[in-house]
Amino acid sequence: MSQNEVVSYEGIEQLSLDAFVRPSYLNYAMYVIMDRALPFIGDGFKPVQRRIIYAMSELGLRSTTKHKKSARTVGDVLGKYHPHGDTACYEAMVLMAQDFSYRYPLIEGQGNWGAPDDPKSFAAMRYTEARLSPYAKLLLSELGQGTVEWQPNFDGTMEEPRTLPARVPNVLLNGATGIAVGMATDIPPHNLREVAAACIRLIEQPKATLAELCEHVLGPDYPTGAEIITPRDELMKIYESGHGSVRMRARWEYLQGEVVVHELPYQVSGSRVLEQIAGQMRNKKLPWVEDLRDESDHENPTRLVIVPRSNRIDIERMMSHLFASTDLERTYRVNLNVIGINGRPQVRSLREMLKEWLEYRFETVRRRLEFRLRKVRDRLHLLEGLLIAFLNIDEVIHIIRTEDEPRPVLMKRFDLTEVQADYILDTRLRQLARLEEMKIRAEQEELEKERESLEKTLGSKARMKTLIRKELQADAEEYGDDRRSVIVERAAAEALDETDLAPSEPVTVVLSEKGWVRSAKGHEIDASGLSYKAGDSYLDSARMRSNQQAVFIDSTGRSYALQAHTLPSARGQGEPLTGRLSPPSGARFVSVLGGDPDQWYLVASDAGYGFRVQLRDLIANKKGGKSALNVPKNAGVLVPAPIESEQDRLVAITSDGRMLTFPVDELPALSRGKGNKIIGINSKKLATREEFVVAIACVPEGKSLKALSGKRHVSFKLADLEAYAGERGRRGNKLPRGFQKVDRIEVE
C-alpha cells in the first residue's frame, strides 16, 4: 500500500481489546455459574438435570409406566429444551439413575447403567431404558398447580419451568458438584429424615441455632455404608462456615484369620484399592500381607479379602497403614455454594441454606393454595349459574332454541355474568336437562368448605406452618430411610514407616577398606573370611536387625545411615557406599555401627578428643550425612567404642606407648562436636603425625583388655589397669617394654 492511500473506518465499529475481552469473559463466567455448574437452592438442580426430569414427566415416564429408550428421552430433551451435546446430557441422566452416586435416585433404569467399581462403564443410550423413580414425584407433583414461573425454551416455541416445585430440600439430599469460573460447589448428600426433622425444627423454632439443627442433621449421608470418621466439632465447623472436608473410611471385619472389607468410601473402586495394595506388595513395601482376593458378587457387591502373613500380625496397625496409603480412606471436599432465591451464588451455612429453602417452600405453597382458591372460586361462580339454569330449565332451553343471540338475553333475564352465560351455552342441552339440584348443591357445599379452609390457611401463618410441617413429615415417612453412612469418630490413620514394614531378622553388615558394603543373614558370620575384590580387604562389621539402620562414620567425622534391609546381599561382593551416599571429596569410611538406637558409643579423634553419644544421634537420613565429630587439623577418626554402662573404664593408648584409663562418665554426653580431651598429645608431634591416639576402648566390669603388638599380646585385668589410672587429659603411663607399639586393642 502506498503512503498516499488513506484507510477509511467509516461504518466500522472500533473497540479496544480490553473493552471487548472484559465483558465477554464476564458473560461467559456468568453463563457457566448460572446455567451450567451451580445448582439452584429451590430444587437442587442444574439446568440440564431440571430439563431431563421435566422432559421425562412430559413424556409420561412416571414410576408406574413402562421404561422408554434413553436415546428417545435424550432426543426429546435436546430437541425441546437443552440445545447442547447428547453425550453430556446422557451422562447427567446416568448420574441421576445410579443408586451408588445419588442418595435418592431420580431415574429408574434398565440395562447397564454403570457399576460402583466403574461408574463410567454404562452402556450407550440406544441400549438402555429409563423412567422416573417414585422420589421424582417430590419435584413434579405440584408442577401444574401454579407454583412455578415459566420461561420460553431456546427457540421460543414452548415454555419450560425456571425451577421445579420441590417438596423437600433436594439440594442437600442428593448433593451437587460443579466447577464454575472462579468458584466451585461440593455439596455432600444427606438423609431425608434428618433434613426434614431439621426443617420442622426451624419451622417451629425460627431462632433455632446451628447446634440445635445439628441435633437432627448428624452429618452427610452418602449412598455407601462406609464410616464417616470426621470428628463432631469439625462437622459443626463445616456446617457453620459452609466449607471444609469430610473423611470416610472403609468398614471391615476380621473373620477366620482374614480381613474382609465389605463397605468402601463413596465412589471408590474396589479394583483400584486392590491394585494399590498389590503395588505395595510387589514393591516389598507390605510384607505383612500374604494374599488378596476379590470375592464380590451380586449378593455382596463389595467383598475384598486381605490375608495377613500370620496371626501374629497387628491387624489394627496394618489396617491403619492401608487406610493412610490407599483409597480405603478418602477425604471429600465440602463447599455449600448454591444459587440463592435472589439469583446470586453464595456459600451458605446449613442454617442459612435450610432457612432460605423454607422461604422458597412457603412461597411455593402459598402460590399453590392461591391457585387452588382461584380455581374453587371460579367453579363456585359457574355452579351458581348452573343452579339458576336448573331452576329455570324450560325457559333457558326456550331462549337457547329461539333466540339468535341467546347470550345477552340469558345475562339480562337471569342476571348472569359473561362467564356463566358462556358456560351454560357451552353445555349441551341434553346435559342441561339432566342437571340435578342435589348434585350441584353437594358440590357447592364441598367447594365452600374447601374455600373457607384455603382462605383460613392463607390468612394464618400458623396454619401455613402446620401444613408445610405435615407435608414434610409425610414425605419423610414415605420416601425416607435409615442412615447408611455410620458416623464414628476414629483416630487418624498412620502409614507405617519402612522400618516397621521390613521383616526383623538378624543380619551382619560388613564394610571393606575401599568402602564397599553388604549385608549377611545371621550374627555367626566370619566377616573377615568373606571374599573381597582384588586390593580390598575387611575393615569393620556390625551386628543388628534387618529393620534397623546401619550407621557409617567417615574420616572427616561425618555420619551416615542406610536401612539394613536395603543393602546388597553378602552372596556377592556388595556395592560401593558412594553410590548411595555423598561423602566429602577424599574422605574414606572408617567404621560401621548398628543395633539398638539407645546404645551408647565413645567417638573420638586420634588427636585425643572425644565424647559419649547415642547411636540414634548419629543417624542421618540425608545423602550427605551430618557432621558428628569435629576433627582437628592433621587428625583422624578412631573406630567408635561401645559403652555398656557408665561404670566402664575408658582406655586410650597413644603411638608413643602411653596408656591412660579413667571412668567413661567423666566424658560429656553430646550429640555432636569436638568433645573433651581424653589423653594429652603433644600438638607439635600431632602436626607431624609423630604422636597420636592409636586406639580407644571401654572395658566393663568383669572383662579384660587385650593389647596386640605384632604377633605378641598382653592382657590387662581391671586391677592391672589401675596402674594406668589418672585424671582425664593427662599423658598416661608407659606400657611394658615390647608393647609400646600397639597395633590394636580388644575387650574380652
Side-chain angles (χ1 to χ4, degrees):
M1 186 169 68
S2 67
Q3 291 183 354
N4 298 330
E5 288 185 49
V6 178
V7 179
S8 174
Y9 291 103
E10 191 178 346
I12 300 171
E13 185 184 356
Q14 294 183 61
L15 199 65
S16 71
L17 189 61
D18 184 67
F20 170 74
V21 168
R22 281 178 187 273
S24 301
Y25 184 71
L26 187 64
N27 290 339
Y28 166 71
M30 289 311 297
Y31 160 73
V32 172
I33 291 165
M34 302 301 292
D35 290 332
R36 206 165 72 196
L38 300 191
F40 176 65
I41 194 166
D43 57 11
F45 282 141
K46 301 173 188 180
V48 65
Q49 296 170 320
R50 188 179 298 118
R51 286 163 176 167
I52 291 167
I53 298 301
Y54 177 65
M56 289 181 76
S57 73
E58 287 295 284
L59 286 167
L61 297 176
R62 289 176 293 278
S63 58
T64 51
T65 60
K66 271 182 70 179
H67 293 79
K68 189 173 182 179
K69 283 284 183 198
S70 301
R72 296 197 55 192
T73 306
V74 169
D76 215 63
V77 175
L78 300 183
K80 292 179 180 176
Y81 309 110
H82 197 69
H84 298 284
D86 59 341
T87 308
C89 180
Y90 181 51
E91 280 186 11
M93 186 174 168
V94 169
L95 188 70
M96 292 190 287
Q98 292 176 336
D99 58 358
F100 50 84
S101 295
Y102 259 44
R103 183 66 179 81
Y104 300 96
L106 291 144
I107 295 169
E108 283 181 0
Q110 279 190 341
N112 179 10
W113 288 79
D117 212 44
D118 190 5
K120 297 282 186 182
S121 65
F122 49 85
M125 64 180 94
R126 60 184 178 273
Y127 301 122
T128 60
E129 297 177 339
R131 68 181 181 192
L132 290 170
S133 71
Y135 176 81
K137 290 178 190 172
L138 294 177
L139 295 137
L140 297 163
S141 59
E142 299 174 4
L143 196 59
Q145 299 178 22
T147 52
V148 298
E149 291 177 13
W150 297 83
Q151 62 185 15
N153 69 340
F154 63 91
D155 60 0
T157 55
M158 55 181 66
E159 289 195 320
E160 62 174 336
R162 287 186 189 272
T163 63
L164 294 178
R167 290 171 63 93
V168 289
N170 185 57
V171 68
L172 281 171
L173 301 182
N174 277 319
T177 58
I179 301 167
V181 178
M183 62 181 71
T185 186
D186 291 279
I187 304 169
H190 289 78
N191 188 275
L192 173 51
R193 288 177 183 170
E194 291 179 8
V195 173
C199 287
I200 291 166
R201 178 79 175 263
L202 205 53
I203 291 168
E204 293 172 346
Q205 301 174 22
K207 292 185 178 178
T209 61
L210 180 70
E212 288 171 334
L213 295 177
C214 285
E215 290 173 14
H216 304 285
V217 182
L218 303 175
D221 186 21
Y222 292 89
T224 171
E227 297 174 344
I228 294 173
I229 62 166
T230 307
R232 177 78 177 158
D233 57 336
E234 280 187 37
L235 289 172
M236 289 281 289
K237 284 177 187 172
I238 292 169
Y239 287 136
E240 190 177 354
S241 64
H243 47 77
S245 60
V246 173
R247 287 191 305 283
M248 286 197 88
R249 182 178 288 185
R251 289 174 74 187
W252 61 280
E253 49 191 350
Y254 191 57
L255 297 172
Q256 299 171 349
E258 297 175 341
V259 173
V260 179
V261 178
H262 52 85
E263 291 287 357
L264 290 170
Y266 180 55
Q267 290 183 336
V268 165
S269 161
S271 58
R272 171 69 180 145
V273 168
L274 290 176
E275 240 177 74
Q276 290 172 329
I277 299 172
Q280 292 190 35
M281 290 167 70
R282 269 195 311 275
N283 297 332
K284 298 185 177 171
K285 302 280 187 184
L286 196 58
W288 289 12
V289 177
E290 181 74 35
D291 191 22
L292 288 175
R293 293 197 307 274
D294 189 354
E295 295 183 356
S296 306
D297 54 30
H298 65 283
E299 289 182 3
N300 301 293
T302 302
R303 188 177 169 87
L304 310 179
V305 181
I306 303 167
V307 184
R309 192 172 288 279
S310 75
N311 57 7
R312 295 190 304 275
I313 296 255
D314 187 341
I315 301 297
E316 291 285 344
R317 204 166 172 211
M318 180 187 81
M319 291 307 295
S320 179
H321 169 75
L322 291 175
F323 288 137
S325 60
T326 69
D327 283 346
L328 286 172
E329 184 175 314
R330 187 179 270 189
T331 301
Y332 300 89
R333 189 172 57 189
V334 176
N335 189 25
L336 305 180
N337 189 12
V338 292
I339 297 167
I341 297 170
N342 60 3
R344 294 180 180 178
Q346 188 187 332
V347 177
R348 291 161 172 80
S349 68
L350 178 69
R351 189 179 184 280
E352 288 170 341
M353 197 164 262
L354 291 176
K355 196 175 178 184
E356 195 165 339
W357 182 83
L358 281 171
E359 283 177 30
Y360 169 83
R361 183 61 188 155
F362 267 88
E363 179 62 19
T364 304
V365 172
R366 187 187 59 75
R367 292 176 72 165
R368 186 188 82 203
L369 296 178
E370 286 176 350
F371 179 79
R372 179 60 188 163
L373 184 60
R374 281 197 300 274
K375 288 276 188 188
V376 168
R377 283 172 175 168
D378 291 347
R379 181 64 183 163
L380 281 168
H381 186 61
L382 293 174
L383 286 174
E384 197 180 322
L386 273 184
L387 192 60
I388 291 168
F390 170 77
L391 295 170
N392 303 279
I393 189 69
D394 294 334
E395 195 177 346
V396 168
I397 290 172
H398 178 73
I399 291 169
I400 293 169
R401 281 178 173 170
T402 57
E403 296 288 337
D404 291 334
E405 291 288 334
R407 185 165 169 250
V409 177
L410 285 170
M411 287 171 66
K412 190 176 179 182
R413 172 69 184 84
F414 301 110
D415 196 21
L416 300 174
T417 63
E418 286 185 18
V419 177
Q420 288 172 326
D422 286 337
Y423 184 69
I424 291 167
L425 291 170
D426 290 340
T427 308
R428 290 182 180 179
L429 290 174
R430 192 179 295 169
Q431 287 174 308
L432 280 172
R434 278 202 296 234
L435 287 173
E436 293 178 29
E437 187 181 1
M438 292 294 288
K439 283 185 178 177
I440 296 170
R441 292 201 182 277
E443 192 178 348
Q444 273 185 322
E445 282 176 21
E446 200 176 316
L447 288 172
E448 279 292 344
K449 284 180 185 174
E450 191 178 348
R451 183 180 62 80
E452 282 179 27
S453 174
L454 288 168
E455 285 175 349
K456 279 181 183 175
T457 305
L458 284 165
S460 167
K461 205 169 183 180
R463 284 176 179 266
M464 283 283 285
K465 284 182 177 180
T466 304
L467 175 64
I468 292 169
R469 189 185 74 240
K470 284 181 177 176
E471 286 179 356
L472 277 167
Q473 283 171 337
D475 294 335
E477 188 64 35
E478 187 173 352
Y479 299 101
D481 56 3
D482 294 332
R483 167 172 280 279
R484 291 193 205 171
S485 303
V486 187
I487 299 176
V488 185
E489 199 168 318
R490 297 199 185 275
E494 288 183 18
L496 298 171
D497 58 25
E498 219 171 339
T499 55
D500 290 325
L501 289 168
S504 180
E505 300 169 340
V507 292
T508 303
V509 176
V510 182
L511 179 67
S512 77
E513 284 192 351
K514 299 288 184 185
W516 285 60
V517 69
R518 49 189 145 170
S519 173
K521 284 189 177 181
H523 287 167
E524 287 73 42
I525 304 293
D526 180 14
S528 58
L530 297 173
S531 66
Y532 293 87
K533 285 184 170 290
D536 200 2
S537 60
Y538 168 80
L539 177 65
D540 196 13
S541 62
R543 294 172 179 175
M544 63 189 78
R545 311 286 302 181
S546 57
N547 61 347
Q548 292 175 332
Q549 289 184 300
V551 175
F552 302 91
I553 311 288
D554 72 7
S555 55
T556 66
R558 298 188 74 80
S559 66
Y560 313 81
L562 292 172
Q563 292 288 342
H565 71 272
T566 64
L567 299 174
S569 168
R571 285 192 289 267
Q573 291 175 329
E575 63 181 41
L577 277 173
T578 49
R580 296 211 200 172
L581 306 174
S582 303
S585 179
R588 58 181 180 81
F589 290 97
V590 298
S591 178
V592 57
L593 310 174
D596 185 2
D598 295 328
Q599 172 67 48
W600 286 90
Y601 282 91
L602 170 65
V603 293
S605 63
D606 61 12
Y609 290 87
F611 56 89
R612 291 178 294 140
V613 65
Q614 278 186 305
L615 185 63
R616 67 171 69 255
D617 292 326
L618 297 174
I619 294 171
N621 296 319
K622 293 179 182 175
K623 273 184 85 176
K626 70 175 185 181
S627 178
L629 177 68
N630 294 347
V631 182
K633 196 176 178 183
N634 298 321
V637 176
L638 296 170
V639 175
I643 302 171
E644 284 193 12
S645 73
E646 291 185 355
Q647 283 71 47
D648 289 6
R649 300 288 297 183
L650 188 156
V651 177
I653 299 176
T654 67
S655 59
D656 198 33
R658 292 182 175 274
M659 182 164 82
L660 178 69
T661 175
F662 56 86
V664 73
D665 61 356
E666 289 186 13
L667 275 184
L670 304 173
S671 59
R672 59 192 298 174
K674 181 181 176 182
N676 286 13
K677 187 179 279 190
I678 298 172
I679 189 167
I681 302 282
N682 188 305
S683 55
K684 289 181 180 177
K685 288 185 177 180
L686 179 67
T688 57
R689 302 295 290 171
E690 287 180 46
E691 189 181 355
F692 51 88
V693 179
V694 176
I696 53 168
C698 295
V699 184
E701 198 171 334
K703 293 194 177 181
S704 59
L705 182 75
K706 185 177 177 183
L708 292 97
S709 178
K711 292 184 180 180
R712 299 173 65 197
H713 72 268
V714 61
S715 291
F716 299 93
K717 291 183 181 176
L718 273 178
D720 302 329
L721 291 174
E722 287 298 323
Y724 300 92
E727 291 179 13
R728 179 181 60 78
R730 297 290 184 181
R731 292 273 294 163
N733 296 329
K734 280 277 189 179
L735 285 162
R737 194 168 291 199
F739 293 97
Q740 291 178 356
K741 296 289 179 188
V742 174
D743 297 322
R744 70 179 195 276
I745 55 179
E746 294 174 0
V747 178
E748 54 182 20

